[in-house]
Every structure is written in structure tokens, then in C-alpha cells.
Amino acid sequence: MSVRNKYFNLLPLVALVLYSCSSSVNVIDKNYQASSSLTKNKIDFWMTNPAQSIYLQQQKESLVFGTNYNTYPTITVDENQTYQEVDGFGFTLTGGSVQAITMLDAPKRTALLQELFGKNDNSISISYLRISIGASDLNEFPFTYDDVPLGQTDVAMQQFSLSPDKTTVIPMLKEILSINPEIKLLATPWSAPTWMKTNNAFIGGSLKTEYYEAYANYFVKYIQKMKEEGILITAITPQNEPLHPGNNPSMYMTALEQANFIKNHLGPAFAKANLKTKIIIYDHNCNKPEYPLAILNDAGANPYVDGSAFHLYEGDISALSTVHNAYPNKNVYFTEQYTGTSGTFDGDLKWHLKNVIIGSMRNWSKTAFEWNLANDANFRPYTPGGCSTCKGALTINSAENFERNVGYYIIAHVSKFVPSGSVRIDSEQHKDLNTVAFKTPKGNKVLIVENDGFVTQLFNIKNNGKWVTVSLESGAVATFIW
């Protein structure tokens, strides 16, 4: 898990009259109209600064494209050069997230869910959620959906039940689906049922080969039972962080084991059950691209695999391109990065925009997920041995009060403006200016810029032969829309 952050301000330049910003704004401007205010020659822009006086705030003056020459660096946005289609942006809705959000009284909770998942002017429009199959380490205690007494087994899945989540995660997912019926869901187990494992424990151990078929049926049963609840699972990964067996819960799974499991059991089980749920491999750090490559190199496993998922607690984000370039017909996904209790708003904003959002997208990812959506003021709940330093995007303080943390703004700077089905288009980078651009299904262009340097940067945004000049201070993040 990792962290870092940034600041932004616009100055009067080249006959442009820019904005006068208001301070102490920590909610989205409710007067923003997502597309009606856009014209062919104007850019609307939103920003967050590291001083925390401006949070995802739409600026009061629009920028206008022109042709006045200057010598500043130019970020050219070219919609004729396209890359991957985007599936969405979001967080992991852990059991602990649900428990924390449920602390809010009903009107507050309803308003918050509309803000997170709706498409209103003050919504950030999260389009993809990651959820755990059974417990993650941000539940109060570990469990799976087929826990039986020590010494017993349940190969036929007769004891399988979603009951641990029937009064928590599932009702909240239904409420979220009522707000956004199109939201996508990636489901991931932290551990198989302990009776299937070599150590009969939640922490560590490996899946016994004699239970590969039973575990494949466990996934099938989960997807089918969730569908009966009206919840469609878009994709699964076979194991969260398969090379990290020290978490609670967790399970060790080598690339060879995962390839064997997929080609001989999970893939055929999905095919037999006629499931369209995607199988995404790996789901761990960027320092081991050889892990997903080994599975993709397996001729038996490859046809069942949609793509590979990555975290960035180790390695470099370019690992996504390494895997993409080897198998351009397979997708890549970025599925987890946390903000921690020791981080700072400015450091995290800067580092995560550079790597998790811009970095993953420029390296072919179809998604970008921050880690935990919410927890309480003590960063709970978490399992014994689970993450005690994970800071949610939201801190729920009481029935009436919650805070939006840096993770909220990291995702909001893209999720609000780049819906599922958008396509990444070309955008230049210049020195410390990190950029990524998209074209939305409605035809709008979106450019995200992060100034990673230590001084204010003056630059042009150029599109279709015209440009506009802006100024971006060190540490700031801006989203431009036209």
C-alpha cells in the first residue's frame, strides 16, 4: 500500500480573463451542468489544490480556444489517435465500508450514495466497484460463504450461503444499483474456505489440489446466488494478492497453480454454467509481470482469461504495458491502491493522480480503483492482523457527520467526467506535466493534468489547430472538459 500529493491556480494570461476562486469549498459545485454549458470553443475546468482550499471545484470562468502565438509548452490532444476503452473508476466496497456508511442516519446515507453513484450535478458518478467474495481484511472478522466445522468438508457446496452479507453488503449493493443500474462489479476472494486449504486457516496456506474443482464450483455458486439477488458480477479474479499470504484472510497461489486452476477447473466450470463473468488474473503488484505472463503463456489457460489486474505497492506502473505489449488482445486493469494514515493530502493527491489515474490509463488500463471506500474515525473495522492504517475515501464520524478524504478526490477527478465507454485519446506530456485524455460517448474531450514539479508551469492545451494558455502551480490537479 502506498502514498504521495499537489496544488493549482490559474493566472490572467494572454488576454484571458480567468477566475477568482472561493476558498473553503469542500463539496462539488451544484450549479455545474455536465454538458449543457460546453461549447465548441470553450473549456470548463475543475481543480483541487494541495493547500486544501479548493476541492474539485469548477472554476468560474471558461477558457476559450484561440490562435495567439506563444512559446509555452503545448499539450496537444488528438482524438484521432485512440487507445483502450474505459470500463470505469471506483473503490472497493468492503464489508467495513458498508458498516461505516450504515452508521449514517437514513437521509444522510441516501444523499451520500446519490453523491457517490448518481449522475446529478453534485455527484462524482463512480462507475465500477470491487467487492470481496467472503471477507477482506477490512471486515470485522474473516469468513467465507462455505465455512464448516473443523474436520468437515462440503465438496457439494450444500452449506454455501451468502448470509454473512445478507444484511450488509447485499442490501447496499441493491441500493447502489437502484441509483446506477449500469455499475460494474469486480469480485475477489481473500481466501478459499479453510477446509480447502493446506493449513486449515484463514491466514496463508494454499488451495489443495483435490479441492480445485470444488473451489471452481464455489465461484459459480457465488455468481449464481448474487444473480438471484439481482446483482450481476462483471468479473472475478481468482485470488487477491496471491503472493501475500500474511494478511487476514489470505491465500498463497503461484502462477503455475493459478494457470492450472483456470484451465482445468474454473474456466470449464464457467463455460459449463454458461457464465459471461470475466476471469481476470493476478491482482497483485507491478513488480511481477512475469506472473500474469506465465498464465497467458499457458495455451490451456489463455482462452479463459480476459486480462490481468495490478496493484502498485511495488514495481512500476509500466508493467501494465509490458503485459499489454506481449498480449495486446488481452486487457489490463488497475484494481487497488491505498491511502494510509501516515500520508498527506498534497503528497497523496500528487502521487496517486500521477500513477494510479494517469499512469495506469497511459499504460492501457481499463479501470482505476482506489482501495477502501469508507471506514470510521479509528480506521476500523479490520480483521485481527488486517490493515489498521488504511484510510478510506470517506471517514464516517457519526450519524450526522462524515469527511471526504484525499482518495475521494483522486477518483472524483476522473469518475465524474469520464464515464464507462469513454476512449482514451492521445495527449502529450511535457517535463513535469503528467496528462491523460479521453473522448466520452457524448463526444466531449476530457484532459486531466497534474503538475509534478516544484514550480508553476505555463502551458497550452491544443486541439484541432487552436489552443488556450493556462497556468498550473506545483502540486495541483485539474480536469479540463470541452
Side-chain angles (χ1 to χ4, degrees):
M1 314 207 164
S2 55
V3 249
R4 324 298 188 248
N5 272 303
K6 219 138 198 148
Y7 183 81
F8 170 110
N9 186 11
L10 291 168
L11 307 174
L13 292 172
V14 204
L16 292 174
V17 179
L18 303 179
Y19 71 95
S20 85
C21 65
S22 62
S23 62
S24 68
V25 177
N26 71 343
V27 294
I28 299 168
D29 183 346
K30 293 181 173 57
N31 295 318
Y32 179 68
Q33 299 296 322
S35 60
S36 61
S37 64
L38 304 180
T39 66
K40 189 173 182 180
N41 295 313
K42 291 175 63 177
I43 302 180
D44 285 344
F45 63 99
W46 297 64
M47 79 167 186
T48 299
N49 68 7
Q52 300 181 66
S53 60
I54 300 172
Y55 295 86
L56 191 62
Q57 182 183 345
Q58 187 188 14
Q59 303 310 294
K60 293 182 178 178
E61 296 295 330
S62 294
L63 305 176
V64 181
F65 282 109
T67 55
N68 290 331
Y69 176 77
N70 63 63
T71 59
Y72 299 127
T74 296
I75 297 170
T76 300
V77 176
D78 181 6
E79 63 261 41
N80 294 316
Q81 188 168 345
T82 61
Y83 303 90
Q84 76 275 21
E85 183 175 311
V86 172
D87 279 355
F89 304 92
F91 301 89
T92 301
L93 183 73
T94 61
S97 296
V98 173
Q99 184 174 327
I101 293 170
T102 304
M103 290 168 52
L104 293 169
D105 65 28
K108 279 274 185 184
R109 185 171 65 251
T110 298
L112 174 59
L113 294 179
Q114 283 286 347
E115 178 183 324
L116 294 173
F117 302 103
K119 296 183 179 179
N120 302 319
D121 295 341
N122 70 329
S123 298
I124 65 169
S125 303
I126 293 168
S127 51
Y128 215 139
L129 282 174
R130 187 171 177 238
I131 57 177
S132 60
I133 301 175
S136 75
D137 59 309
L138 295 188
N139 280 80
E140 281 192 305
F141 55 87
F143 63 84
T144 74
Y145 297 130
D146 199 340
D147 294 327
V148 298
L150 186 65
Q152 296 184 20
T153 64
D154 182 30
V155 174
M157 296 288 125
Q158 293 179 337
Q159 304 301 314
F160 183 98
S161 175
L162 297 175
S163 60
D165 285 330
K166 276 286 187 78
T167 60
T168 54
V169 174
I170 290 173
M172 186 162 288
L173 283 173
K174 290 180 179 179
E175 189 169 357
I176 291 167
L177 284 163
S178 72
I179 297 169
N180 178 10
E182 305 302 318
I183 197 162
K184 295 178 173 64
L185 298 173
L186 168 65
T188 301
W190 266 240
S191 174
T194 58
W195 55 268
M196 296 185 185
K197 298 172 68 177
T198 55
N199 64 351
N200 290 298
F202 280 109
I203 300 174
S206 298
L207 185 66
K208 290 183 177 181
T209 54
E210 60 262 40
Y211 293 126
Y212 275 26
E213 184 176 355
Y215 197 38
N217 290 332
Y218 178 87
F219 280 89
V220 171
K221 183 79 76 169
Y222 168 74
I223 293 166
Q224 290 173 337
K225 291 295 184 184
M226 290 293 274
K227 184 177 180 180
E228 289 175 12
E229 297 288 339
I231 299 168
L232 299 181
I233 303 301
T234 309
I236 60 93
T237 65
Q239 176 60 41
N240 172 68
E241 299 191 340
L243 301 179
H244 176 33
N247 202 358
N248 184 19
S250 59
M251 187 171 76
Y252 186 72
M253 181 179 276
T254 67
L256 182 63
E257 290 169 335
Q258 193 163 122
N260 181 14
F261 177 58
I262 291 169
K263 71 180 176 182
N264 293 317
H265 301 279
L266 187 64
F270 276 28
K272 182 179 179 181
N274 197 31
L275 298 181
K276 304 303 181 187
T277 303
K278 298 172 184 176
I279 298 173
I280 300 172
I281 58 176
Y282 190 41
D283 211 2
H284 208 172
N285 286 327
C286 287
N287 64 330
K288 299 287 185 182
E290 62 268 24
Y291 188 115
L293 287 173
I295 300 172
L296 293 171
N297 287 339
D298 189 306
N302 181 291
Y304 294 114
V305 174
D306 171 84
S308 310
F310 296 85
H311 307 174
L312 190 55
Y313 303 121
E314 294 183 83
D316 188 87
I317 196 66
S318 62
L320 279 68
S321 281
T322 299
V323 176
H324 166 82
N325 292 339
Y327 287 93
N329 63 323
K330 299 294 184 179
N331 295 313
V332 292
Y333 302 85
F334 191 90
T335 51
E336 182 187 313
Q337 198 70 21
Y338 98 139
T339 51
T341 57
S342 62
T344 61
F345 186 96
D346 61 329
D348 288 343
L349 183 71
K350 174 180 176 178
W351 191 92
H352 285 245
L353 258 296
K354 176 183 178 181
N355 291 286
V356 174
I357 303 301
I358 295 172
S360 74
M361 291 291 118
R362 290 188 74 92
N363 284 281
W364 296 94
S365 185
K366 293 176 70 68
T367 62
F369 292 86
E370 286 286 308
W371 172 213
N372 189 31
L373 180 58
N375 48 20
D376 69 19
N378 296 310
F379 310 104
R380 292 184 180 275
Y382 50 83
T383 62
C387 183
S388 61
T389 60
C390 292
K391 179 187 288 186
L394 303 167
T395 299
I396 311 300
N397 295 311
S398 68
E400 291 289 334
N401 180 264
F402 68 88
E403 300 172 45
R404 300 168 185 85
N405 299 320
V406 64
Y408 173 99
Y409 297 103
I410 292 164
I411 290 297
H413 257 283
V414 62
S415 64
K416 182 174 178 64
F417 310 103
V418 184
S420 297
S422 298
V423 175
R424 181 168 73 91
I425 58 178
D426 196 58
S427 63
E428 292 179 297
Q429 307 231 82
H430 283 279
K431 197 176 179 181
D432 294 319
L433 296 174
N434 294 300
T435 76
V436 67
F438 305 91
K439 187 172 183 178
T440 73
K442 291 185 177 180
N444 293 330
K445 269 83 74 179
V446 179
L447 174 69
I448 299 166
V449 183
E450 178 262 333
N451 182 358
D452 206 51
F454 297 101
V455 298
T456 297
Q457 295 283 323
L458 300 173
F459 61 94
N460 301 311
I461 299 171
K462 185 177 181 180
N463 181 234
N464 292 330
K466 295 184 178 182
W467 56 88
V468 62
T469 308
V470 297
S471 169
L472 188 58
E473 283 193 42
S474 171
V477 173
T479 302
F480 301 90
I481 314 100
W482 67 97

